[in-house]
Amino acid sequence: MALFKPKFITFDCYGTLINFDMAGAAARCFKERVAADEMQAFTTDFSRYRMDEVLGAWKPYYDVVSNAIQRTCKKWGVAWDKADSDFIYTDCATWGPHPDVPAALATLATEFPLVLLSNSMKDLLPHHIPRLGAPIHMAITAEEVGAYKPQMKGFEYMLQKLNCRPDEILHVSSSFRYDLMTAHDLGITHKAWVNRGHEPANPYYGYTEINDLGGLPAVVGL
């Protein structure tokens, strides 16, 4: 990516900025019911069912999590109780940022408005914004949009609210499936992939790769 000064830098929040520990929450919840050597496969299935749950009509994120863990338990023949869904969802509010995030965001915020486009709820995201260590110009949740990423509606809604074109922002995410593939399809040409090990590289989608958020200021000339 050539040096580019965006009107806004837009971010995925969970996984990219906040240390998204849904697998850890599920592992803690089911440690007595799922063998240790099978837990990674169990939580991987939980992740896949969450993706499937967000592809349809909007529903509260609690329902996304609860439906996904119930479907995982059904596949694995593991007992489920509503308390399991409650435990995992409640754990979400405790998560903090990746260590590289606050300093990088503080640097970026000196010159660029920072925007969050998050698959979150209006009552959940406020737990995490104060932990990011920088002023957030705008935070948009899937609840506000009425649709979850990777659906296009969130990106379209964000661009409309910001009153800018797709080629005027820099979108930053650690996920191709939830963010960068959709951003590519909508003509968001300036993208940065934070390689946090969630997914393999895919150069087709056109992005600048950074190992952590500390590399982002240099992408925009800071």
Side-chain angles (χ1 to χ4, degrees):
M1 182 187 295
L3 185 63
F4 169 63
K5 294 289 186 180
K7 286 188 175 181
F8 301 93
I9 303 179
T10 63
F11 295 88
D12 166 62
C13 185
Y14 298 102
T16 302
L17 303 180
I18 295 295
N19 185 11
F20 186 82
D21 193 29
M22 196 71 79
R28 291 187 291 275
C29 185
F30 286 91
K31 63 183 179 181
E32 303 299 330
R33 285 169 279 176
V34 177
D37 62 351
E38 295 182 324
M39 187 62 76
Q40 184 173 350
F42 179 84
T43 58
T44 295
D45 280 341
F46 179 34
S47 175
R48 290 169 175 165
Y49 282 125
R50 289 197 311 276
M51 166 64 84
D52 190 63
E53 286 288 330
V54 301
L55 296 177
W58 184 87
K59 52 184 169 281
Y61 195 61
Y62 176 90
D63 294 349
V64 170
V65 172
S66 185
N67 292 350
I69 197 62
Q70 289 180 66
R71 293 169 72 184
T72 305
C73 287
K74 182 178 180 180
K75 177 179 179 179
W76 282 76
V78 172
W80 168 86
D81 187 88
K82 184 178 182 298
D84 300 322
S85 299
D86 294 346
F87 177 92
I88 295 170
Y89 189 77
T90 300
D91 197 71
C92 296
T94 69
W95 302 337
H98 292 285
D100 51 278
V101 166
L105 289 185
T107 298
L108 293 163
T110 63
E111 189 166 336
F112 302 99
L114 310 182
V115 176
L116 305 181
L117 178 61
S118 176
N119 274 3
S120 189
M121 299 285 288
K122 295 174 184 177
D123 63 351
L124 182 59
L125 195 58
H127 289 283
H128 300 105
I129 290 177
R131 301 170 188 165
L132 295 176
I136 300 302
H137 173 74
M138 184 184 294
I140 299 170
T141 65
E143 181 181 9
E144 179 180 347
V145 174
Y148 289 101
K149 298 179 293 181
Q151 297 181 55
M152 291 182 173
K153 291 180 182 179
F155 287 95
E156 293 171 322
Y157 181 89
M158 178 180 70
L159 291 169
Q160 183 176 7
K161 285 198 75 170
L162 296 176
N163 190 29
C164 64
R165 302 188 311 269
D167 61 350
E168 293 178 319
I169 68 170
L170 169 64
H171 189 67
V172 184
S173 179
S174 60
S175 175
F176 290 100
R177 296 183 74 187
Y178 277 97
D179 280 81
L180 297 179
M181 292 167 65
T182 304
H184 171 273
D185 290 348
L186 282 171
I188 297 173
T189 53
H190 302 283
K191 300 179 288 295
W193 176 47
V194 188
N195 185 357
R196 297 205 184 277
H198 307 322
E199 302 167 20
N202 194 333
Y204 172 82
Y205 291 101
Y207 52 85
T208 294
E209 179 178 349
I210 53 178
N211 292 326
D212 58 48
L213 214 68
L216 190 60
V219 174
V220 291
L222 297 181

